[in-house]
Amino acid sequence: MPKGPVHSEIEKRLTAELAPISLVVTNDSASHQGHAGDDGSGESHFSVDIICAAFEGQSRLNRQRMVNKALGDLMRDKVHAMVIKARAPGE
């Protein structure tokens, strides 16, 4: 399945802001078709698995805040739900 514009933008913003060592973005929207928050675009639900040196010494909550900040308006306007697995190198 090709990446849509929201998926690509998530990758672009996280890469630019956090310079991850590893980044895997998964579009989970198909599993949520017809559920609350499904806007019919096919890009409303995502999972992010990110390993980043900037997360060292940060709490789980702060790491999620860093991801949300990097994504900015996407989280408000385009993405209904996101599962975030944010780790520092070696974790």
Side-chain angles (χ1 to χ4, degrees):
M1 177 182 205
K3 294 178 187 175
V6 176
H7 188 147
S8 295
E9 188 65 20
I10 290 169
E11 290 177 333
K12 177 182 166 187
R13 290 185 188 193
L14 290 176
T15 299
E17 183 74 21
L18 298 172
I21 294 166
S22 174
L23 174 63
V24 177
V25 178
T26 306
N27 184 342
D28 300 321
S29 300
S31 300
H32 299 275
Q33 258 181 336
H35 297 169
D38 175 27
D39 62 4
S41 71
E43 290 195 284
S44 58
H45 294 71
F46 291 89
S47 296
V48 170
D49 189 339
I50 182 171
I51 300 172
C52 177
F55 295 150
E56 288 188 38
Q58 298 293 323
S59 69
R60 190 173 131 229
L61 179 59
N62 281 343
R63 293 173 183 189
Q64 291 186 357
R65 286 178 175 156
M66 291 167 73
V67 169
N68 287 332
K69 181 181 177 194
L71 297 176
D73 63 323
L74 284 178
M75 294 303 292
R76 183 186 66 239
D77 300 337
K78 300 284 184 183
V79 177
H80 174 71
M82 182 175 289
V83 174
I84 300 170
K85 184 175 183 180
R87 297 172 285 153
E91 292 184 341

